Amino acid sequence: MSDSSNPDRTELADTRTRWAEDRTLLANERTFAGWMRTGMACVALALGLKAVFKDTDYPIVAKTVSELFILAAVLIFWAAVSTCRATEKRMDDHDVEAQSHRRMTILASILTLGAVATGVILWLL
């Protein structure tokens, strides 16, 4: 048994492993945020397409393409939740506290609602 001033190799390895898991959890949260930004970029692209093609001779085509980006946003939001949850299940947190799956699901739900509402508004314009 070693004292705290001279940890053995196993203790050092365990510490490094715990820190690596914590870094992975934090990276997972950053990746989740990146996916959310990508989904919101799809919504912004849908809005931009609607603005660019507002006077087109083919409004149905323009609206349909815009709706495809809304659909892509929703799929991105839920892929992020699924991927994040799968990563969290494989990891244990040690010195950091990971965001709860519930919080990420609520965020994805709110962004999905906003994206769908935007899609409905775009179709009605």
Side-chain angles (χ1 to χ4, degrees):
M1 183 163 136
S2 64
D3 61 39
S4 62
S5 64
N6 189 15
D8 67 10
R9 294 177 70 148
T10 303
E11 289 174 310
L12 291 172
D14 288 344
T15 299
R16 285 191 302 269
T17 300
R18 287 192 306 271
W19 288 345
E21 285 185 328
D22 284 351
R23 283 191 307 273
T24 301
L25 286 171
L26 294 172
N28 186 43
E29 291 177 9
R30 287 189 303 273
T31 301
F32 177 82
W35 285 59
M36 294 296 108
R37 285 188 301 272
T38 302
M40 291 306 297
C42 285
V43 173
L45 184 57
L47 288 167
L49 286 171
K50 176 64 176 148
V52 168
F53 296 113
K54 68 179 178 175
D55 295 328
T56 184
D57 292 333
Y58 306 101
I60 299 297
V61 174
K63 288 179 181 183
T64 302
V65 172
S66 292
E67 294 300 326
L68 289 175
F69 284 101
I70 297 292
L71 176 62
V74 170
L75 293 175
I76 288 168
F77 296 149
W78 291 101
V81 170
S82 175
T83 302
C84 187
R85 181 66 180 148
T87 300
E88 283 179 1
K89 282 183 178 181
R90 292 191 308 266
M91 299 285 140
D92 294 320
D93 55 355
H94 302 281
D95 293 328
V96 299
E97 186 175 334
Q99 293 293 322
S100 71
H101 180 65
R102 182 172 184 235
R103 182 177 291 166
M104 292 183 181
T105 302
I106 290 170
L107 178 61
S109 298
I110 291 168
L111 291 177
T112 296
L113 182 63
V116 169
T118 301
V120 169
I121 291 168
L122 287 174
W123 194 261
L124 295 175
L125 295 177

